[in-house]
Amino acid sequence: MRVLIVGSGAREDALSWRIAESPSCDAVFAAPGNAGTASRGVNWEVAATDGKGLAERCVREAIDLAVLGPETAIAAGVGDRLRDAGIAVFGPNRSGGRLESSKIFAKRFMERHEIPTARAAVAHSLEAASKALEEWRGPVVVKADGLAGGKGVVVAPTVEAARAILADWYGGGRVPGGGSDVLIENRLEGREVSVFALCDGRAIAPLGAACDYKRAGDGDTGPNTGGMGAYSPPDGFPDDLDDRVRERILGPLLRGLCAEGEEYRGVIYCGLMWTAQGPYVIEFNARFGDPETQALLPRVGGDFALLLHSVARGAMDLSLATLSQRRCVGIVLATDDYPRSNTALQGLNGDVSLAEGCRAFWGASQRVDATVSTSGGRVLTVTALGDDLAQARLKAYEAVRRLAGRLGTDALTYRTDIALR
Ligand SMILES: Nc1ncnc2c1ncn2[C@@H]1O[C@H](COP(=O)(O)OP(=O)(O)O)[C@@H](O)[C@H]1O
Ligand SMILES: [Mg+2]
């Protein structure tokens, strides 16, 4: 099989690695790709959101399977365009992608199909939002409707704080993501966990689960980021997590998709809050998470490429891949000004090979002969497998220190408490 991975982050580097290792894979391509994908396949100079350009190139290069990485590609209708051109696609069409691209659509969908989620009100103006807040008590979560790159949600400790955020969003004319619609919802109490479910339009099944770290600093301090680390499988959750998620979330989700005529083929990432009453959905993502994917894929064995292809064809065959019981920890190395701004780095050592069981995945970057340049932000995710979480964690930090010492820069930082509870 000839497989295209759409996107340019560390998630796409991990997907390209795992797919290239699959027995059925003959060649991997990435668009636009990064320094990692360039080392094992061909990068196309086509933007991840350019559906027309990607469709033409896929046909010309006889691509058998396209895997959509970023939400922006899905929301731009890249899945629709590629399917129109006869390409098998892992990733939903734009309409299925609304589960992620519109938080209001997702909330209404969950309400229609009785999927447990926080009680919410929708508002299209500051006036309506203020009115909705009049009856609210206690902490409230304010969410912009559209894709906002992780900057569209604020957990407000009080109704007054929520009012101030809304006044700022509407007053400055900049609701994150660019729309004018917001969701106001109850704060859920519990522990967060992410479950990746595969859906081929007819069946749905959990692939694996992970926990991630969103804040920039140790001890969950500092600003929100795209994600500073993750580990898989989650630790300290009930043993029957998969069964309970299947019954309460995935079952109703699939029934809802089918009832609404949505043939969803790809991964649905369920961001869950595990409450005293069991799992509640915080959000759905229509694609693999970053950095959770980097911590999940080292545990996956078998023919992952063929598994994704079976999902893309609407005939999911879970027996094609296996999931190891080993633990995996992923640590993100980011420039020290992230997420405030991005320092570009040049001339980094492009050889990031590590000891057995450890791997480094490049974020957005370019390979220039033996060196790598990046526009900054999240530069690398370093992962390690272990027999238990403590061992995986130890190995991952050892690998981070080793790598940091030979990259040729001292502008990178990382959290020191990933997978430490
Ligand atoms: N109802 C809620 N109760 C408690 N925490 C929430 C709630 N909704 C969101 N959060 C917190 O805010 C974070 C971001 O919200 P999410 O809906 O996942 O938006 P996005 O990932 O698009 O920024 C979540 O990971 C969670 O920590
Ligand atoms: Mg989220």
Side-chain angles (χ1 to χ4, degrees), residues 124-301:
H124 309 288
S125 66
L126 180 57
E127 206 186 358
S130 305
K131 193 151 183 342
L133 281 178
E134 274 167 22
E135 299 121 62
W136 229 279
R137 297 284 170 274
V140 16
V141 184
V142 180
K143 300 188 168 190
D145 179 54
L147 293 178
K151 296 188 167 66
V153 172
V154 182
V155 181
T158 60
V159 170
E160 289 66 47
R163 278 186 202 285
I165 290 150
L166 287 162
D168 178 46
W169 282 5
Y170 282 108
R174 45 186 174 82
V175 175
S180 63
D181 301 338
V182 298
L183 204 59
I184 296 161
E185 69 179 41
N186 274 347
R187 189 178 75 183
L188 298 164
E189 303 286 347
R191 263 186 79 200
E192 287 189 62
V193 58
S194 309
V195 173
F196 294 98
L198 296 180
C199 181
D200 69 353
R202 281 169 250 191
I204 195 162
L207 171 68
C211 288
D212 73 333
Y213 295 77
K214 285 273 179 254
R215 307 287 286 272
D218 284 355
D220 290 331
T221 55
N224 257 318
T225 71
M228 296 303 290
Y231 66 90
S232 176
D235 195 40
F237 286 87
D239 289 339
D240 60 351
L241 178 138
D242 270 9
D243 291 338
R244 293 176 69 182
V245 170
R246 230 188 262 268
E247 186 191 328
R248 304 234 322 175
I249 317 264
L250 302 184
L253 172 59
L254 179 66
R255 285 193 289 278
L257 289 169
C258 292
E260 300 193 11
E262 188 60 60
E263 193 165 47
Y264 191 108
R265 294 183 180 179
V267 62
I268 302 185
Y269 166 118
C270 306
L272 305 177
M273 185 71 85
W274 205 277
T275 73
Q277 286 78 42
Y280 276 64
V281 175
I282 293 175
E283 65 160 349
F284 290 121
N285 288 341
R287 35 82 198 175
F288 283 109
D290 184 341
E292 296 91 324
T293 302
Q294 295 89 295
L296 177 71
L297 292 185
R299 298 180 52 222
V300 173

Side-chain angles (χ1 to χ4, degrees), residues 318-331:
L318 285 164
S319 72
L320 291 168
T322 56
L323 191 65
S324 142
Q325 279 313 300
R326 301 191 78 195
R327 316 279 134 165
C328 187
V329 170
I331 296 156

Side-chain angles (χ1 to χ4, degrees), residues 78-95:
V78 168
D80 308 62
R81 276 296 168 78
L82 296 183
R83 285 192 176 94
D84 287 346
I87 307 294
V89 183
F90 181 90
N93 281 339
R94 190 208 300 254
S95 64

